[in-house]
Amino acid sequence: LLWGVWMLLPRSHRREHQTIDVVIDATHLKSAARGRSAKGAFVSADPTCGWYKRDGNHDGDDINPTARAAKGKAVAKDSRAKTKYQRHSDDLKWAREMHFVTVVVPGLPRITLAASLDQPGKRIAANALRCIDSLLERGFKIGHFICDQAYLPGCAPEDLALPLRARGI
């Protein structure tokens, strides 16, 4: 579906713009199912989702690693079910996260050509590289990689920045 939008452009435009700049970002897709809870014996009807939070890397399973690190405690990921989260708050949502890669070419509309669906805040670098590899396999050359801080510098250099550099980006 995404590739079909690119193919609707005139052939002369597609051939002229084989070197592109890309913008990547993610958004959440709220699930109709409920999330898991430590107080109940039930599991989610949609286990492919995860807890989404608006700030940081969007990983709702890791509520506040900075505060724990500042107090000298080990920074370990807590399961969402063990937190003291109030259900009436809208800070956390049971959702999936969709990573979108959009092509930026002067004179052409912004077209999303690759997407990856995963749990919020999980495997950010892997999802970004999956989208980038999809474009590279189609013959594009990528000039600039534009993103927010969840990707760079949020991901470890060996997970995202160095693999991008190895791909010539």
mmCIF file of all heavy atoms in Angstrom, residues 45 92-93 129:
data_model
loop_
_atom_site.group_PDB
_atom_site.id
_atom_site.type_symbol
_atom_site.label_atom_id
_atom_site.label_comp_id
_atom_site.label_asym_id
_atom_site.label_seq_id
_atom_site.Cartn_x
_atom_site.Cartn_y
_atom_site.Cartn_z
ATOM 1 N N ALA A 45 -6.501 -9.112 26.237
ATOM 2 C CA ALA A 45 -7.017 -9.791 25.055
ATOM 3 C C ALA A 45 -6.161 -9.464 23.834
ATOM 4 O O ALA A 45 -6.336 -10.059 22.782
ATOM 5 C CB ALA A 45 -8.471 -9.364 24.799
ATOM 6 N N LEU A 92 -0.683 6.609 30.759
ATOM 7 C CA LEU A 92 -0.327 5.354 30.106
ATOM 8 C C LEU A 92 -1.514 4.828 29.315
ATOM 9 O O LEU A 92 -2.654 4.924 29.751
ATOM 10 C CB LEU A 92 0.086 4.305 31.139
ATOM 11 C CG LEU A 92 1.368 4.583 31.917
ATOM 12 C CD1 LEU A 92 1.604 3.486 32.930
ATOM 13 C CD2 LEU A 92 2.547 4.708 30.994
ATOM 14 N N LYS A 93 -1.203 4.259 28.158
ATOM 15 C CA LYS A 93 -2.241 3.678 27.300
ATOM 16 C C LYS A 93 -1.771 2.311 26.829
ATOM 17 O O LYS A 93 -0.594 2.117 26.558
ATOM 18 C CB LYS A 93 -2.485 4.569 26.081
ATOM 19 C CG LYS A 93 -3.000 5.927 26.427
ATOM 20 C CD LYS A 93 -3.095 6.791 25.194
ATOM 21 C CE LYS A 93 -3.534 8.164 25.638
ATOM 22 N NZ LYS A 93 -3.128 9.207 24.771
ATOM 23 N N LEU A 129 15.835 0.603 11.595
ATOM 24 C CA LEU A 129 16.678 -0.056 10.585
ATOM 25 C C LEU A 129 15.858 -0.930 9.642
ATOM 26 O O LEU A 129 16.169 -1.027 8.457
ATOM 27 C CB LEU A 129 17.773 -0.878 11.267
ATOM 28 C CG LEU A 129 18.848 -0.045 11.970
ATOM 29 C CD1 LEU A 129 19.787 -0.948 12.743
ATOM 30 C CD2 LEU A 129 19.601 0.823 10.980
#
